[in-house]
C-alpha cells in the first residue's frame, strides 16, 4: 500500500487549516512538514511552535522532516508539538544513535534521511530502530526541483537489505516526485511518496494523489 505525504512547503500558508483539510479530503495519508534552519540547508521554514498550531487543524500523521544541524537539541520540542514521525539527517551534527533513542523514548517513530551524495549503507547499523528511511531525490532545501532518478539504486539496495533482515521498514522518497516518476520509485522499493509541487500545484489534487498511489 503506497502512502502519499504531501509536502506542505508548497501549500498556501495563509490558510493552512483549509489546506490540511483539503489534503485529507483528497486522500493524503500523511502531511510532510519540512523544517529548515538556514544552516543545514540554505533556507528557513518553520519550527515547533507553528507545528503545535498546525496540530489543531489536522488529525493526519505529522511526518516531520528535520533539515537542521542539531536535531537532538530540538527533539523534545517537536514531540511536544505533535510530531508522529521525526526524520533527521545522518549528515547532521547530532549523534545518530542517541538521537534515534531519544525520539523513541519520547513515544515517536524515528526515521533517518540521506542526502543525494550520501551512500545509503550508512543507515544499515540503525535499521532495526527505524520506522522509515528517507532517500532524498533532490538536494534538500527547496521545493520544485527535478527528481534524481539515479537515487533509485539506493532505494533498491535498501529495500533488499530490509527484506533480507525481515523488516517492513517504510522507504520514503522526497523531491521532484510526480505522476511520471512515481512508478519508478515504487518499482524500486519506495512505499511512501512525498510530493509538494505535484500535489499543491495540481488543478485536481484528488486525482493527482490517486494517480500517485496507483502503482
Ligand atoms: C526539499 C524538501 C521536500 C520538498 C518536496 O528539501 O524536503 O519535501 O518540499 O517538494 P517537491 O515535491 O516540490 O520537490
Ligand atoms: Zn522533505
Amino acid at each position: 500500500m503506497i502512502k502519499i505525504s504531501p509536502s506542505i512547503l508548497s501549500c498556501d500558508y495563509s490558510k493552512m487549516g483549509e489546506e490540511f483539510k483539503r489534503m485529507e479530503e483528497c486522500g493524503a495519508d500523511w502531511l510532510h512538514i519540512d523544517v529548515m534552519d538556514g544552516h543545514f540547508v540554505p533556507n528557513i521554514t518553520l519550527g515547533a511552535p507553528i507545528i503545535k498550531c498546525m496540530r489543531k487543524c489536522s488529525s493526519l500523521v505529522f511526518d516531520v522532516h528535520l533539515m537542521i544541524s542539531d536535531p537532538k537539541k530540538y527533539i523534545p520540542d517537536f514531540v511536544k508539538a505533535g510530531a508522529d514521525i521525526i526524520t533527521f539527517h545522518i549528515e547532521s551534527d547530532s549523534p545518530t544513535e542517541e538521537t534515534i533513542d531519544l525520539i523513541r523514548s519520547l513515544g515517536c517513530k524515528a526515521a533517518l534521511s540521506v542526502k543525494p551524495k550520501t551512500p545509503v549503507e550508512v543507515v544499515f547499523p540503525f535499521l532495526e530502530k527505524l520506522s522509515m528511511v528517507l532517500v532524498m531525490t533532490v538536494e534538500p532545501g527547496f521545493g520544485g526541483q527535478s527528481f534524481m532518478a539515479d537515487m533509485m539504486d539506493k532505494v533498491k539496495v535498501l529495500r533488499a537489505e530490509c527484506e533480507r533482515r525481515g523488516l517492513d521498514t517504510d522507504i520514503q522518497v522526497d523531491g521532484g516526485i510526480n505522476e511520471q516518476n512515481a512508478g519508478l520509485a515504487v518499482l524500486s522499493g519506495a512505499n511512501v511518496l512525498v510530493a509538494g509541487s505535484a500535489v499543491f500545484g495540481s488543478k485536481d489534487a484528488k486525482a493527482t494523489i490517486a494517480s500517485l498511489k496507483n502503482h
Side-chain angles (χ1 to χ4, degrees):
M1 177 65 181
I2 307 303
K3 291 188 267 274
I4 306 300
S5 190
S7 164
I8 62 152
L9 198 58
S10 301
C11 85
D12 181 346
Y13 281 102
S14 70
K15 44 178 184 176
M16 275 193 296
E18 289 164 45
E19 290 281 75
F20 297 174
K21 286 265 153 2
R22 183 165 75 91
M23 284 303 119
E24 198 166 344
E25 284 160 15
C26 288
D29 299 280
W30 300 354
L31 282 177
H32 184 84
I33 303 171
D34 287 306
V35 176
M36 306 186 189
D37 65 354
H39 188 250
F40 183 75
V41 290
N43 197 7
I44 300 177
T45 53
L46 48 86
I50 309 283
I51 296 178
K52 193 176 169 195
C53 295
M54 291 174 172
R55 192 67 283 183
K56 296 180 195 155
C57 307
S58 178
S59 51
L60 287 173
V61 169
F62 273 16
D63 161 30
V64 176
H65 178 194
L66 299 181
M67 286 161 275
I68 64 178
S69 291
D70 190 4
K72 185 165 172 256
K73 184 174 168 189
Y74 299 95
I75 295 301
D77 292 347
F78 286 107
V79 173
K80 270 187 236 138
D84 296 294
I85 304 162
I86 297 183
T87 303
F88 68 99
H89 275 264
I90 197 155
E91 304 89 350
S92 74
D93 297 335
S94 298
T96 305
E97 186 133 31
E98 281 174 39
T99 307
I100 293 171
D101 290 345
L102 178 62
I103 296 170
R104 288 164 48 106
S105 74
L106 296 173
C108 240
K109 290 182 174 167
L112 256 182
S113 179
V114 288
K115 296 206 283 185
K117 291 191 186 76
T118 305
V120 76
E121 287 79 5
V122 297
V123 309
F124 287 3
F126 312 102
L127 268 184
E128 266 77 13
K129 291 183 173 181
L130 300 172
S131 75
M132 180 168 83
V133 175
L134 163 54
V135 176
M136 289 302 299
T137 46
V138 296
E139 281 298 338
F142 300 92
Q145 303 180 74
S146 298
F147 174 75
M148 299 165 78
D150 49 342
M151 294 301 118
M152 294 304 100
D153 286 345
K154 297 203 301 199
V155 173
K156 287 180 199 160
V157 166
L158 177 61
R159 181 54 79 200
E161 183 64 15
C162 291
E163 275 171 8
R164 195 182 68 78
R165 297 195 198 184
L167 299 171
D168 65 346
T169 314
D170 284 328
I171 299 181
Q172 184 176 58
V173 283
D174 179 12
I177 304 291
N178 57 33
E179 292 173 60
Q180 285 70 48
N181 55 37
L184 175 64
V186 170
L187 204 64
S188 304
N191 69 308
V192 185
L193 309 179
V194 174
S197 32
V199 169
F200 285 99
S202 169
K203 283 202 185 79
D204 186 348
K206 191 173 186 173
T208 301
I209 290 175
S211 152
L212 289 169
K213 265 192 192 184
N214 188 26
H215 291 287

